[in-house]
């Protein structure tokens, strides 16, 4: 073992070697807290350069598909992630899908648009009385961010929003780190992983993510798949790394192995 991969457990390195031998590999990654460190202002997030470089090279390998599965709206994801051109993109926790040129954008129906407006009204009232909380509009939902608010204010705001919006049928709620996500489209990262497995014909998936919503994806993994939790929170993942910097090491290890398998010398 070399110094640079000390942070990865021998079990994880073995899993990386094993999955690299699969026929068609799908590398599906969360963005914030996984490729990028968590930052105060969402627009400031950028992938760690080493992760971005490894992902770009993985994207070029034969029989290898790369994908980002994010809670962000697709536009926001593109802006901060600058993904390799052939990387598949799933935004809004699965509500938005981009599989290359010609992919159709998300269209809400009349009922969903009305629900979205009602959700926005509820959350705007809460933000008005909860200093430090802010809203973010997404194509299928509105997000309540509480990262900049005091702990008790943040807690009260999320509690109030959850209480009121639980009464709205067809509005789906997800709690993340200092964030309450609402959506008028039912979607999850678990469904996104399933969808990508079908769409790409992947024979194994390597997925890494740091947040609660990533557990949906981790829960859909099976067989030869490899699931990695980033961070120390509870998880059902088989493997764990501590921080985005270790994701960089993981992707570099995966790149070395996968390149060896797909491009024989
Ligand atoms: Mg994340």
């Amino acid at each position: 073992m070399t110094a640079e991969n000390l942070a990865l457990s021998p079990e994880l390195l073995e899993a990386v070697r094993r999955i690299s031998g699969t026929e068609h590999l799908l590398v599906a990654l969360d963005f914030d807290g996984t490729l990028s460190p968590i930052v105060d202002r969402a627009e400031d997030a950028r992938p760690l350069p080493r992760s971005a470089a490894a992902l770009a090279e993985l994207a070029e390998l034969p029989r290898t598909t790369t994908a980002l599965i994010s809670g962000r709206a697709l536009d926001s994801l593109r802006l901060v992630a600058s993904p390799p051109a052939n990387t598949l993109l799933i935004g809004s926790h699965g509500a938005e899908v981009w599989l290359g040129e010609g992919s159709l954008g998300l269209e809400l129906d009349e009922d969903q648009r009305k629900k979205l407006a009602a959700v926005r009204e509820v959350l705007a009232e809460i933000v008005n009385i909860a200093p430090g909380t802010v809203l973010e509009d997404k194509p299928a939902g509105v997000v309540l961010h509480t990262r900049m608010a005091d702990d008790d204010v943040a807690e009260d705001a999320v509690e109030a929003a959850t209480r009121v919006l639980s009464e709205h049928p067809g509005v789906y709620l997800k709690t993340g780190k200092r964030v309450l996500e609402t959506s008028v489209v039912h979607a999850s990262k678990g469904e996104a992983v399933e969808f990508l497995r079908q769409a790409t014909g992947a024979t194994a998936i390597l997925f890494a993510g740091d947040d609660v919503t990533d557990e949906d994806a981790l829960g859909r993994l099976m067989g030869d798949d490899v699931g990695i939790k980033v961070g120390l929170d509870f998880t059902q993942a088989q493997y764990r790394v501590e921080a985005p910097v270790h994701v960089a090491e993981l992707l570099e290890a995966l790149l070395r192995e996968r390149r060896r398998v797909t491009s024989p010398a």
Side-chain angles (χ1 to χ4, degrees):
M1 190 183 278
T2 59
E4 68 173 2
N5 58 25
L6 273 178
L8 305 183
S9 70
E11 294 78 17
L12 176 51
L13 284 170
E14 179 52 35
V16 165
R17 269 191 289 275
R18 206 170 53 236
I19 198 172
S20 295
T22 200
E23 178 57 27
H24 190 127
L25 175 64
L26 171 63
V27 184
L29 304 166
D30 168 52
F31 180 72
D32 294 274
T34 299
L35 284 177
S36 154
I38 295 287
V39 292
D40 277 342
R41 289 160 22 113
E43 64 269 33
D44 293 338
R46 292 296 179 274
L48 290 176
R50 283 172 59 198
S51 289
L55 185 67
E57 291 198 58
L58 280 164
E60 292 302 318
L61 293 182
R63 298 187 282 114
T64 307
T65 303
T66 51
L68 299 184
I69 304 181
S70 176
R72 285 179 185 259
L74 274 191
D75 285 349
S76 158
L77 179 61
R78 281 199 188 91
L79 200 66
V80 294
S82 304
N86 53 0
T87 292
L88 310 180
L89 301 176
I90 306 278
S92 300
H93 299 285
E96 292 184 278
V97 173
W98 186 85
L99 299 183
E101 289 305 323
S103 279
L104 296 176
L106 174 73
E107 289 279 355
L108 299 184
D109 63 27
E110 186 55 31
D111 184 46
Q112 289 170 321
R113 276 197 294 272
K114 276 187 191 150
K115 281 177 183 149
L116 187 55
V119 168
R120 193 168 208 298
E121 210 167 293
V122 168
L123 293 181
E125 268 179 44
I126 289 170
V127 162
N128 267 338
I129 56 166
T133 65
V134 289
L135 295 188
E136 176 200 354
D137 286 300
K138 297 212 283 197
V142 183
V143 188
L144 173 65
H145 290 277
T146 65
R147 206 172 289 148
M148 312 288 254
D150 290 343
D151 288 353
D152 54 337
V153 172
E155 213 170 288
D156 288 352
V158 168
E159 201 269 329
T162 305
R163 185 161 26 83
V164 176
L165 292 176
S166 308
E167 307 290 315
H168 289 228
V171 175
Y172 306 96
L173 305 180
K174 282 185 176 59
T175 316
K177 285 178 188 157
R178 307 286 298 210
V179 79
L180 178 70
E181 298 264 357
T182 71
S183 179
V184 296
V185 174
H186 187 269
S188 76
K189 289 192 175 187
E191 290 158 74
V193 156
E194 271 312 309
F195 172 77
L196 285 178
R197 191 195 300 277
Q198 302 293 329
T200 62
T203 48
I205 301 174
L206 180 140
F207 176 85
D210 71 305
D211 211 337
V212 185
T213 55
D214 295 307
E215 294 296 320
D216 293 333
L218 291 163
R220 298 293 183 103
L221 300 183
M222 58 187 194
D224 295 332
D225 298 342
V226 172
I228 300 133
K229 166 77 175 184
V230 183
L232 302 175
D233 299 335
F234 169 82
T235 186
Q236 58 191 309
Q238 307 151 275
Y239 305 98
R240 190 193 289 276
V241 297
E242 219 177 298
V245 64
H246 307 123
V247 175
E249 291 175 19
L250 168 76
L251 292 176
E252 287 172 355
L254 181 65
L255 175 62
R256 278 194 299 273
E257 294 295 327
R258 185 63 176 165
R259 190 187 270 146
R260 203 170 49 74
V261 172
T262 56
S263 347

